[in-house]
């Protein structure tokens, strides 16, 4: 079973942690989300890279948008 609890700040996280300790719940995985004292790290790209080397990368295997969708968006009809 998986339960998701969204916490807005560290104070609430500490309160929830104390609650779990009170009930002796030891199997808790905390996954931090972006925004909880963690800023997204954005770095600027290297402007010196020459993109011309990428032209013709699929010359040996031409693709269409339909081919890409057919392979990438496979649905499993048995899962609902």
């Amino acid at each position: 079973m998986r339960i998701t609890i969204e916490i807005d700040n560290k104070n609430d996280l500490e309160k929830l942690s104390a609650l779990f300790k009170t009930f002796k719940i030891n199997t808790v995985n905390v996954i931090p989300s972006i925004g909880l004292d963690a800023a997204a790290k954005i770095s600027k790209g290297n402007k010196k890279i020459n993109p011309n080397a990428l032209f013709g990368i699929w010359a040996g295997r031409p693709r269409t948008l339909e081919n890409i969708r057919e392979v990438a968006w496979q649905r499993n009809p048995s899962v609902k």
Side-chain angles (χ1 to χ4, degrees), residues 6 13 18 24 30 32 34 49 53 68 77-79:
E6 293 184 14
L13 180 60
K24 297 180 182 175
V30 176
I34 295 175
I49 295 175
I68 294 169
S78 63
V79 177

Side-chain angles (χ1 to χ4, degrees), residues 32-68:
S33 65
I34 295 175
L36 185 62
D37 289 343
K41 294 180 182 177
I42 299 173
S43 60
K44 293 189 177 189
N46 185 352
K47 302 289 184 185
K48 296 177 184 176
I49 295 175
N50 184 1
N52 290 332
L54 296 174
F55 293 120
I57 194 169
W58 294 107
R61 282 181 63 192
R63 294 182 160 214
T64 64
L65 190 54
E66 289 76 23
N67 296 127
I68 294 169

Side-chain angles (χ1 to χ4, degrees), residues 16-27:
L16 186 61
S17 177
L19 177 70
F20 288 150
K21 287 179 184 176
T22 302
F23 288 106
K24 297 180 182 175
I25 299 173
N26 297 322
T27 55

